[in-house]
Amino acid sequence: MAGHFEATPGGGAAVALDEVEISILRSLVVQLLELIGPGDQPADGEDPLAALFAEGPSKPPSDPALARLFPDAYGGPDRPAEGGKPEDELRELSAEFRRFTENDLRSGKREDAVTVVRTLDALAPAGDGGAVLTLTGDECRSWLRSLNDLRLTIGTRLEVSDEDEGEEGSLYRLPDADPRKPMVMAYLWLGALQETLVETLMP
């Protein structure tokens, strides 16, 4: 179990983590929460129902990592043009879609990240400071989404391409003196966790 998730009865999963791994995971997820932001909470006296239907932003985030987490729904560098529509029309469609969906998407990502932090904080450390993390099926899905968000964020910061990630890719050949090496190691480790967690959820 050490270093990778294994399936548990009832549709959950478990992984053994040492003290350093727990600390790194928690720190990365807290940073992800800070990046996503606190969200729009209704102020004192404000109608919670009105806040629920508040419109979100219509423009993509300026931060490249946030733009990767909340991409345009139509067109854009990661999405092909649809039906030969002109770029102006695709931008308008994306703005409309973003205005009515981004707030909910952010809330979902925050909830997933908070679930990760809470499950880590609930761990009972063993004698060596490590612990076995055991997740329910729902917690597995929150973890899976947050691991994906972390990898998207770190990959954007590192400007990772598909060619970099293969076994012969440049990520595996970075010299120890490269300042990116710690984040690259975290990126690859998160990928291994994500892969084994996906395997536990497969029928």
Side-chain angles (χ1 to χ4, degrees):
M1 184 186 299
H4 62 273
F5 279 98
E6 293 183 1
T8 59
V15 62
L17 299 170
D18 64 33
E19 190 173 8
V20 173
E21 290 170 335
I22 294 169
S23 176
I24 291 173
L25 272 169
R26 193 183 190 286
S27 175
L28 289 173
V29 177
V30 167
Q31 291 177 59
L32 178 64
L33 279 166
E34 292 172 351
L35 177 67
I36 294 170
D40 297 323
Q41 301 296 328
D44 291 340
E46 183 180 354
D47 180 1
L49 192 60
L52 181 65
F53 291 100
E55 292 184 3
S58 60
K59 294 182 179 179
S62 57
D63 185 312
L66 278 176
R68 191 75 177 85
L69 292 177
F70 304 102
D72 278 337
Y74 304 96
D78 297 326
R79 296 175 182 271
E82 305 199 5
K85 294 179 180 177
E87 289 187 14
D88 287 348
E89 184 178 347
L90 291 174
R91 278 195 293 269
E92 289 178 9
L93 289 170
S94 291
E96 188 78 358
F97 185 84
R98 184 180 297 278
R99 185 158 52 244
F100 293 108
T101 61
E102 186 168 312
N103 284 347
D104 285 343
L105 289 173
R106 284 180 182 259
S107 294
K109 290 182 184 297
R110 278 192 299 272
E111 290 170 8
D112 289 333
V114 167
T115 295
V116 174
V117 172
R118 286 177 176 164
T119 53
L120 290 172
D121 287 349
L123 287 175
D128 60 358
V132 174
L133 173 73
T134 303
L135 304 174
T136 66
D138 286 341
E139 289 169 344
C140 284
R141 286 179 278 278
S142 288
W143 264 76
L144 194 57
R145 290 188 291 264
S146 277
L147 287 172
N148 187 61
D149 287 345
L150 282 173
R151 280 177 49 80
L152 285 174
T153 301
I154 295 171
T156 302
R157 297 287 190 238
L158 294 171
E159 299 182 346
V160 172
S161 68
D162 292 340
E163 291 75 19
D164 295 327
E165 290 200 60
E167 290 186 5
E168 302 300 323
S170 61
L171 291 184
Y172 291 87
R173 300 196 307 272
L174 278 181
D176 291 341
D178 193 306
R180 298 171 296 167
K181 187 67 176 276
M183 288 309 297
V184 166
M185 296 303 294
Y187 178 80
L188 296 174
W189 173 56
L190 292 171
L193 283 177
Q194 183 181 18
E195 182 178 355
T196 59
L197 184 52
V198 167
E199 290 171 356
T200 68
L201 297 176
M202 293 176 67

